[in-house]
């Protein structure tokens, strides 16, 4: 059983933390042991990769598809150092292997230094369609491709740089909504229609299609305050997706926002439910919850 660090004792999945936290460096990173992966691990990676690489061609924006190709990691779990050298050349980001979920402040600090923390272990075959904690497939296939996009790469560093202010205002939960809706489950307008770019959906066979095709969820035009006031569920498909006109919009609005007063304002307001319809919403699709 993994040694659970005190800092994560109350993490949502503390009971199930499965990475080995016993060999971490002070910054919570570990060394990826390529020899520790089994043939089954690499075979599962190939299964997941082939399924999603085909799907994203139709469902993701072109930059995601191009980046997946540039990552050249279809054959098995990639060496994260080798992948980092390609990523560093593109946008100065690198991948930091970690045992799994790490404390907010540590996570923010890595992002602020253009280091993306990625689990090094892969799920089990019986978890192919759902697992509670991010594994190496979610983190590498879901998150790394957009770190090749200069604007999104700048946005995610800015998100990390803003972490300490959220902690200072006791508003990490409010900032986390921005990450959840716009990094894990974001949609974006393209000349080819609305596409999915979030890591949580693009690493999921079911949610990639659901987020774009299903009539059930709301699809609402991105508005920073609306997103930060909207609660989310972690164990079902989203009931609302927010749609960006561009990554520049997400980056510019974040740069132009003084988050301190916004946290205080939002803390005093009732949050919206995950399926809420709010006056003033730019409704792109009004969800029709399944009967
Ligand atoms: N740790 N490894 C890892 N990956 C995450 O996505 C992550 C985390 N710790 C905290 C966290 N996300 C969120 O709580 C912050 O975005 C607020
Ligand atoms: Fe993620």
């Amino acid at each position: 059983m993994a040694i659970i660090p005190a800092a994560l004792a109350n993490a949502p999945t503390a009971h199930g933390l499965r990475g080995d936290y016993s060999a971490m460096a002070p910054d919570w990173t570990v060394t990826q042991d390529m020899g520790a992966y089994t043939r089954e691990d690499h075979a599962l990676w190939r299964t997941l990769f082939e399924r999603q690489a085909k799907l994203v061609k139709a469902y993701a924006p072109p930059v995601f598809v191009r980046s997946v190709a540039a990552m050249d990691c279809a054959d098995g779990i990639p060496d994260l150092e080798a992948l980092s050298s390609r990523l560093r050349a593109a946008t100065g980001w690198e991948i930091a292997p970690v045992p799994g979920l790490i404390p907010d402040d540590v996570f923010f600090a890595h992002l602020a230094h253009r280091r993306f923390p990625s689990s090094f272990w892969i799920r089990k075959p019986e978890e192919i369609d759902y697992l509670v904690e991010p594994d190496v497939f979610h983190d590498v296939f879901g998150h790394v491709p957009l770190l090749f996009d200069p604007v999104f790469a700048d946005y995610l560093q800015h998100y990390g740089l803003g972490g300490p202010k959220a902690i200072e205002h006791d508003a990490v939960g409010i900032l986390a909504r921005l990450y959840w809706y716009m990094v894990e489950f974001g949609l974006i307008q393209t000349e080819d229609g609305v596409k999915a770019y979030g890591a949580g959906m693009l690493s999921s066979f079911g949610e990639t299609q659901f987020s774009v095709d299903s009539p059930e969820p709301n699809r609402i035009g991105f508005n920073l305050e609306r997103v930060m006031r909207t609660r989310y569920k972690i164990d079902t498909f989203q009931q609302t997706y927010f749609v960006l006109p561009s990554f520049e919009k997400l980056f510019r609005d974040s740069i132009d926002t003084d988050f301190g007063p916004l946290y205080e304002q939002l803390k005093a307001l009732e949050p919206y439910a995950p399926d809420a319809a709010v006056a003033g919403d730019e409704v792109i699709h009004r969800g029709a919850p399944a009967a």
Side-chain angles (χ1 to χ4, degrees), residues 107 116 134 138-139 142-143 179 183-184 199-200 203:
F107 183 66
F116 189 81
H138 167 86
D139 281 327
H143 284 286
Y179 191 88
V183 178
E184 296 293 356
S203 56

Side-chain angles (χ1 to χ4, degrees), residues 98 100-104 107-108 117 134 159 172 176 179 184:
V98 292
L101 289 178
I102 57 179
D104 295 335
F107 183 66
F108 293 138
Y159 175 89
V172 170
Y179 191 88
E184 296 293 356

